[in-house]
Amino acid sequence: MYKEKTKKQLASYKVKQLGVLKDGIWKTNKKPYPHILPTEQKELNLLEPYRADLLSYIAQQKIQLHRDFHHLNSSQAVCLNFFYPLLKENLLPLLLNILKNKEETVEICEFEKVISRSEGTNFDFYIRLKSGKQIFFEIKYTESGFKKEQPSEAYQAKHEVVYKERLVGKLRPGINEYETLMKNYQLLRNISYVDASDQNLLVIICPEGNIKLRQEYETLVDNLIAPALHKNIRFLTWETIWTELMDLLLASPAVPERLRNQYKLFGEKYLADEKNDLYEKK
């Protein structure tokens, strides 16, 4: 099982790479686990090359760290470790290159972005380009699935007041929209922010080994989402985006060495060994 295998790898990483022997506590059940850091050492979940800069940025931007940020499989930590160094070094154009938007220019970017306070969807990372195009990122790592909800009067009301309008034309004809929303709540909330008539893009990133997430995504998009909207939704694996970024970094002699080190360490921590080994030899 992908999740358990990854937790085991992260437990080994905690001891061998971070030198932390003590197991951290899962706050939900108050029990210790090998893949969790002690809360007082949660900053070690940020990779060393940009750790100090990133801690300052988190404080300055008032980014609220998740309750379980001290878990080594925290998807928020994955997000910060991947995107922040590119922001710090003004190299987000490398990311735009990977996303086939290399002619564009970044105007604004933000972590934990809430677009509409009344609707409430939180995007892990967000970019607005000078053209006005928006890119919304949903970041996953070991999660067992996308969030779902149980039908209730409260959600029925929210569907009527908020999502009924936001989802117009985004589902295939003849589908029970409210039922589909409950079964695919997180995905459809995210998808509601893109429209076939614009160039906004939703990018979902998860590991290639997390088959359950990919299957859930493909079932929804292939069977329930209107085909015209498919161009606005992209599913990428961490392995793909990391490999393409490493290739760009290795081909750019002016790139700071600590940036290359950051992403080598990212591969070592989060990705399959055989992927990272390709770049240890370069």
Side-chain angles (χ1 to χ4, degrees):
M1 184 178 179
Y2 173 77
K3 188 172 186 176
E4 296 309 315
K5 178 183 176 183
T6 301
K7 285 181 179 180
K8 187 175 179 180
Q9 291 172 344
L10 290 170
S12 176
Y13 171 89
K14 186 190 74 175
V15 175
K16 293 179 180 179
Q17 303 301 323
L18 300 180
V20 177
L21 302 179
K22 182 180 177 182
D23 291 341
I25 304 298
W26 185 21
K27 295 179 181 179
T28 298
N29 64 9
K30 313 299 183 189
K31 293 181 180 180
Y33 290 89
H35 71 286
I36 301 178
L37 290 165
T39 53
E40 64 272 17
Q41 292 179 286
K42 65 184 179 182
E43 72 278 0
L44 295 180
N45 216 357
L46 301 174
L47 297 170
E48 191 278 331
Y50 287 84
R51 184 180 296 147
D53 290 319
L54 186 42
L55 286 169
S56 295
Y57 179 82
I58 289 168
Q60 291 165 4
Q61 298 297 315
K62 297 181 171 60
I63 296 173
Q64 184 67 44
L65 296 181
H66 297 171
R67 186 186 72 157
D68 291 335
F69 184 81
H70 61 306
H71 294 217
L72 285 168
N73 61 332
S74 160
S75 58
Q76 187 184 36
V78 176
C79 181
L80 290 164
N81 279 322
F82 188 84
F83 292 105
Y84 173 76
L86 296 174
L87 169 61
K88 173 68 177 177
E89 302 294 351
N90 295 313
L91 287 173
L92 281 171
L94 295 179
L95 178 62
L96 297 184
N97 191 343
I98 294 169
L99 296 176
K100 314 303 181 194
N101 283 274
K102 64 181 179 180
E103 304 302 322
E104 296 271 11
T105 304
V106 174
E107 183 175 63
I108 293 173
C109 59
E110 190 174 333
F111 293 93
E112 304 294 336
K113 177 68 172 179
V114 177
I115 310 295
S116 168
R117 293 290 171 186
S118 60
E119 190 276 324
T121 292
N122 179 299
F123 288 101
D124 299 306
F125 190 57
Y126 166 83
I127 296 175
R128 189 174 77 209
L129 305 173
K130 287 191 176 178
S131 65
K133 178 178 179 177
Q134 300 177 89
I135 308 177
F136 310 98
F137 292 86
E138 177 64 40
I139 303 305
K140 295 295 185 186
Y141 189 41
T142 60
E143 288 87 347
S144 299
F146 294 96
K147 185 179 180 183
K148 303 165 180 52
E149 294 294 351
Q150 291 298 318
S152 68
E153 289 184 9
Y155 282 114
Q156 181 76 59
K158 193 167 186 179
H159 170 251
E160 291 296 324
V161 173
V162 177
Y163 293 114
K164 195 167 188 178
E165 180 178 352
R166 295 185 64 87
L167 292 173
V168 168
K170 296 177 182 178
L171 296 178
R172 292 175 183 264
I175 290 171
N176 185 315
E177 186 174 282
Y178 173 63
E179 181 180 306
T180 302
L181 176 64
M182 292 297 96
K183 291 179 178 178
N184 303 274
Y185 191 68
Q186 185 178 34
L187 278 172
L188 283 181
R189 285 180 70 176
N190 291 341
I191 288 170
S192 76
Y193 278 87
V194 297
D195 193 276
S197 64
D198 62 36
Q199 293 186 315
N200 291 343
L201 181 66
L202 170 64
V203 180
I204 299 167
I205 312 178
C206 87
E208 64 182 28
N210 198 332
I211 304 300
K212 290 181 69 176
L213 285 175
R214 177 188 285 274
Q215 289 176 338
E216 194 173 324
Y217 165 85
E218 289 179 347
T219 297
L220 175 68
V221 172
D222 293 347
N223 299 308
L224 303 175
I225 299 298
L229 196 62
H230 289 188
K231 67 179 177 57
N232 299 86
I233 311 167
R234 195 170 304 172
F235 185 98
L236 296 175
T237 67
W238 280 117
E239 286 77 6
T240 295
I241 195 170
W242 177 81
T243 299
E244 292 191 31
L245 179 60
M246 286 296 292
D247 287 341
L248 291 172
L249 293 176
L250 292 170
S252 306
V255 165
E257 189 61 27
R258 76 161 172 159
L259 192 66
R260 293 193 188 94
N261 289 338
Q262 171 79 7
Y263 291 104
K264 285 182 180 179
L265 290 173
F266 185 95
E268 177 184 303
K269 180 177 180 180
Y270 293 118
L271 305 181
D273 292 341
E274 59 269 20
K275 298 288 183 182
N276 196 47
D277 286 347
L278 293 174
Y279 293 93
E280 288 297 324
K281 298 172 184 176
K282 293 187 179 183

